Amino acid sequence: MIAEMQIRNYSPRTIGSYVSSLIQVSQYYQLSPEHISLEQFKDYLTHRINEDKISNATINQAIGAWRILQCDILHRNWKAFQVKRPRIEKKIPRVLSQAQILSLLDTVSNLKHYALLSLAYATGMRRNEILHLQLKDIDSARNMILVSQGKGHKQRQIPIHNSTLGILREYYKKYRPAKFLFEGYKPGVPYSASSFRNILYKAAKRACITRKVTPHLLRHSFATHMLEKGLNLKRLQLLLGHNTMKTTSVYLHVADMSSANVPDLLNTDKDTQNGK
């Protein structure tokens, strides 16, 4: 099964999650996965939903692993083993104001931590993308960052302003990372996700921000603030690396567009129509 997912170019994280899902259901019944029936699999999911309160994402992950097992490994007809995915909950992203984030950054005295959090907010990159960003991925001559570890192994370029580049240069001169932009104590090994979360949690606490602040919250805030600054939705979609505009459009429900320039269609004044 691992080989099948590697051929499909699944990320190591996805492979690990799918394998773990099947191991858990196998251990639950003390049976090899190929001997577990459709009804047993459904009963297992029901148990996890009621007892462990698992999320829709975890359910979808288990169903995805189940489908690969049945169709690609055991070559069975999916209709005989199909499990319908749960309905997607449409949630509006939680965000911080720009003032809150700047206040949070002001509490960070460690240069490495400051560079990490500043880059996360200034670019809207995903946590995994930042932690696997390599030195060679930063094109300072063109003010661009190549995201080579994007979701689904999709690459994209993100512009980076001189202010953020200046922070990264100052950080590099002091820490001299070997391969990845942000590394732990061991050279050549990327900074850990738990360390990222911890420094963000502590910074938020010092800034007296009571809500839970995560790396993804910085990404949501970036997207919302970009819309509020006038960036068009298509451009934002490309920066965030979303497959569809529909995914990006959720930020329209969060952004404060009250200051946007909305034309008066009933005003026949030529100068107004021409934007003068």
Side-chain angles (χ1 to χ4, degrees), residues 49-265:
I49 291 169
N50 293 330
E51 298 298 325
D52 302 329
K53 312 299 180 185
I54 59 175
S55 65
N56 284 346
T58 302
I59 297 171
N60 278 321
Q61 186 181 88
I63 294 173
W66 176 255
R67 178 165 186 164
I68 290 176
L69 172 69
Q70 299 302 331
C71 297
D72 301 307
I73 306 303
L74 302 176
H75 304 293
R76 292 170 175 170
N77 189 333
W78 177 236
K79 288 185 178 181
F81 289 87
Q82 183 176 6
V83 180
K84 291 186 177 180
R85 296 179 182 272
R87 296 177 62 183
I88 299 175
E89 299 176 0
K90 296 182 179 179
K91 293 184 178 180
I92 296 178
R94 294 166 52 251
V95 301
L96 296 177
S97 69
Q98 187 176 15
Q100 284 178 309
I101 291 185
L102 294 179
S103 174
L104 181 151
L105 291 174
D106 282 342
T107 70
V108 181
S109 57
N110 181 288
L111 179 57
K112 181 177 183 177
H113 298 171
Y114 182 78
L116 175 62
L117 299 186
S118 296
L119 183 66
Y121 173 58
T123 62
M125 294 168 64
R126 299 179 179 91
R127 180 190 65 188
N128 191 58
E129 293 171 348
I130 293 174
L131 296 180
H132 288 88
L133 189 65
Q134 298 186 33
L135 298 174
K136 63 181 179 64
D137 295 329
I138 301 177
D139 187 348
S140 58
R142 297 176 56 243
N143 284 68
M144 284 287 182
I145 289 179
L146 173 64
V147 180
S148 56
Q149 291 292 324
K151 193 173 183 180
H153 293 290
K154 297 181 179 70
Q155 292 188 348
R156 70 183 188 281
Q157 286 189 329
I158 299 177
I160 181 171
H161 291 283
N162 286 327
S163 57
T164 308
L165 269 178
I167 296 171
L168 296 183
R169 286 193 182 104
E170 187 180 354
Y171 154 74
Y172 177 78
K173 289 177 182 177
K174 180 176 180 180
Y175 286 88
R176 297 287 180 178
K179 178 180 179 182
F180 296 96
L181 182 60
F182 298 103
E183 299 178 342
Y185 292 109
K186 189 175 180 180
V189 176
Y191 206 54
S192 71
S194 59
S195 296
F196 192 170
R197 289 194 302 268
N198 288 338
I199 63 174
L200 187 54
Y201 168 78
K202 292 177 182 178
K205 188 175 181 180
R206 289 193 297 268
C208 299
I209 298 173
T210 55
R211 70 173 57 182
K212 183 180 179 181
V213 180
T214 64
H216 213 69
L217 183 60
L218 294 184
R219 176 174 164 86
H220 288 325
S221 301
F222 161 86
T224 303
H225 299 162
M226 280 295 180
L227 282 179
E228 292 174 343
K229 296 289 185 182
L231 189 72
N232 71 69
L233 201 62
K234 181 59 180 178
R235 180 63 175 146
L236 181 61
Q237 177 194 348
L238 295 175
L239 291 180
L240 292 173
H242 287 161
N243 288 328
T244 66
M245 186 82 78
K246 183 179 179 181
T247 304
T248 314
S249 64
V250 69
Y251 296 107
L252 290 172
H253 298 285
V254 189
D256 180 6
M257 309 300 288
S258 59
S259 61
N261 184 21
V262 180
D264 183 357
L265 299 180

